[in-house]
Amino acid sequence: MGILNRLKQFAFVKLRILKYKMLSSCNQVSGQPIIFHPLLLNGSGKITFGENVQIGVINSPNYYSHYSYFEARNSDSEISIGNNVSINNHCTIEALSKITILDNVLIGVNCSILDNDGHSLEVENRLFGIPQKAEIMIHKNVFIGDNVTILKGVTVGENSVVGNGSVVTKSVPSNVVVAGNPAKIIKEIN
């Protein structure tokens, strides 16, 4: 790698990764993910990384322009990521209760995994009410495509695939391909 490439790598990657590490507020982080893309870890809950967890992909969209955001908002909130998980660029994982991602999961670019509604849905409580929440479980060997949103209360079964651009509002059984908005089963995997 030439000196110009090393300077680019330092200025546009390493400094950004360091910046977001310094801006992170979560004090209950365990495990050491392999960081290729800036990652902001916030909240007063726990965030746990297994072995060989990769954050960011160099030859993928949003590598130089975005960052990933994980938040375990409350003291009892938890994000748990298993072993051999690869999370592409610009991923948001936000837990008010618990989000569990088991081993060997692939997550595409620009995905959101949200175990809550963000705000209360009742008009009179929207600004200050407590949003509804429900745990999310993503089982082993799941492949989540680009631009996917997974919403509260969803379980994605083992070996399943979630197609690009899907919005997953209901649980997905094992060994299927789902796609669409809302996501529906389009194929079984043998």
Side-chain angles (χ1 to χ4, degrees), residues 1-189:
M1 185 185 300
I3 190 146
L4 184 57
N5 284 337
R6 287 183 190 172
L7 285 172
K8 287 180 189 177
Q9 180 73 11
F10 179 75
F12 296 113
V13 178
K14 292 189 186 284
L15 282 179
R16 290 182 65 238
I17 289 171
L18 180 61
K19 173 178 117 175
Y20 284 95
K21 183 175 183 178
M22 292 175 64
L23 290 171
S24 293
S25 68
C26 187
N27 293 320
Q28 295 188 69
V29 178
S30 61
Q32 296 290 325
I34 303 162
I35 305 285
F36 292 104
H37 180 71
L39 174 62
L40 185 62
L41 301 172
N42 279 347
S44 55
K46 293 189 331 188
I47 301 174
T48 305
F49 296 97
E51 293 183 23
N52 196 34
V53 174
Q54 178 179 321
I55 307 295
V57 176
I58 295 168
N59 294 322
S60 206
N62 301 325
Y63 179 68
Y64 292 105
S65 57
H66 292 69
Y67 65 95
S68 290
Y69 180 81
F70 296 4
E71 179 183 7
R73 184 170 297 170
N74 304 315
S75 60
D76 60 343
S77 303
E78 186 176 348
I79 298 169
S80 177
I81 299 173
N83 301 319
N84 305 311
V85 173
S86 181
I87 301 172
N88 209 315
N89 306 328
H90 194 226
C91 181
T92 299
I93 300 175
E94 184 181 296
L96 265 62
S97 58
K98 184 174 184 179
I99 296 172
T100 304
I101 300 169
L102 296 180
D103 299 346
N104 305 312
V105 171
L106 299 173
I107 299 175
V109 171
N110 196 39
C111 289
S112 296
I113 302 171
L114 313 165
D115 76 349
N116 64 87
D117 290 331
H119 292 274
S120 178
L121 299 182
E122 296 85 29
V123 174
E124 62 277 359
N125 294 323
R126 197 161 291 158
L127 291 177
F128 303 107
I130 298 171
Q132 294 292 314
K133 61 185 178 180
E135 291 185 16
I136 293 174
M137 169 69 79
I138 299 172
H139 283 274
K140 292 180 179 178
N141 305 313
V142 168
F143 173 29
I144 299 169
D146 295 345
N147 303 304
V148 169
T149 300
I150 297 177
L151 298 176
K152 73 179 190 295
V154 165
T155 295
V156 180
E158 194 168 317
N159 305 319
S160 287
V161 176
V162 181
N164 290 350
S166 296
V167 178
V168 185
T169 61
K170 295 184 178 164
S171 291
V172 174
S174 297
N175 302 304
V176 297
V177 177
V178 298
N181 181 4
K184 294 181 180 9
I185 296 172
I186 60 170
K187 180 180 179 180
E188 290 188 14
I189 298 172

